[in-house]
Structure formats: structure tokens, C-alpha cells
Amino acid sequence: MAAHHRPLFVLFGASMTEFSFQPGGWGAALTDLYSRKADILLRGFRGWNTRRALAVLEQFFPKNSPTQPALVVVFFGANDASFPMPSGRGQHVPIQEFKENLQHIASYLKKEMG
């Protein structure tokens, strides 16, 4: 019997993604909606921002992977928008860099996963 391959959906983001499978969460609702139609893979990490996402983008979405996602939901921004710390450390990412990071993530996914 031939293997049945369902499309792969990847949820990639920060805590709103990480906790999306809690009761009533959007990830749980998506999984319910696509039950037996798609495989949903959670890649949500509390505290992450777009800068951190860029650092792991090629590891999480390798170009030569035999299984490429049909859909990637990118859900970052709350941590990027946090108040900057005087030390320069923390999760804050300036708005222009945030825009550039999202554009880079989207371009990479479109080019390499497309």
C-alpha cells in the first residue's frame, strides 16, 4: 500500500505560537479544522523575536529537506515591540530592523520552500 502524504503546515513564532495548542487556542483550532487533511508542526518559542528567528531559519527550514511545508505561519512581533532596555539587551528590535527581518524570513521561505 502506498504511503499517503499530507501537506505539512508549520507554525513558527514566539509564545503566542508556543501556547496556541492550549484549549481554545488558534493552533488547536487549526489542527481540528485540518484533522486528517494536513500535519501541523509547532515551532513556537516563548521570548523569541525576529532576530532570533533569523538565526535559526535555515536550520528549521533546510533547503534540501525531502519534506517541505505547504504552509508556514510566521507569528512574531510582540517581543520585538517590547520596550528597549537601557543596556541594549532584551527582546526589543527597532521597527526598521523588524520589517527587514520579516521581509527576509518571507523571502527565504518563498524562495527556498516554494
Side-chain angles (χ1 to χ4, degrees):
M1 184 162 137
H4 176 70
H5 297 284
R6 292 184 275 202
L8 174 64
F9 296 175
V10 180
L11 312 182
F12 183 46
S15 59
M16 288 184 274
T17 304
E18 180 179 2
F19 300 123
S20 68
F21 279 80
Q22 292 181 344
W26 66 271
L30 185 69
T31 301
D32 183 54
L33 183 65
Y34 283 93
S35 177
R36 297 175 53 163
K37 297 175 190 153
D39 292 327
I40 313 294
L41 180 62
L42 178 63
R43 290 292 178 260
F45 303 94
R46 178 181 47 227
W48 279 30
N49 57 22
T50 55
R51 196 180 287 152
R52 183 77 185 262
L54 277 177
V56 300
L57 191 61
E58 292 184 27
Q59 293 170 313
F60 280 19
F61 302 99
K63 297 176 186 180
N64 299 325
S65 176
T67 304
Q68 297 294 345
L71 173 72
V72 178
V73 176
V74 179
F75 198 177
F76 291 99
N79 295 315
D80 297 77
S82 65
F83 287 108
M85 295 176 68
S87 66
R89 301 179 95 186
Q91 300 164 315
H92 174 75
V93 174
I95 189 72
Q96 186 58 39
E97 181 185 350
F98 172 71
K99 289 179 185 179
E100 291 167 5
N101 291 348
L102 282 180
Q103 288 171 342
H104 182 83
I105 291 168
S107 293
Y108 176 84
L109 292 171
K110 186 175 179 181
K111 179 181 176 191
E112 302 304 335
M113 307 291 108

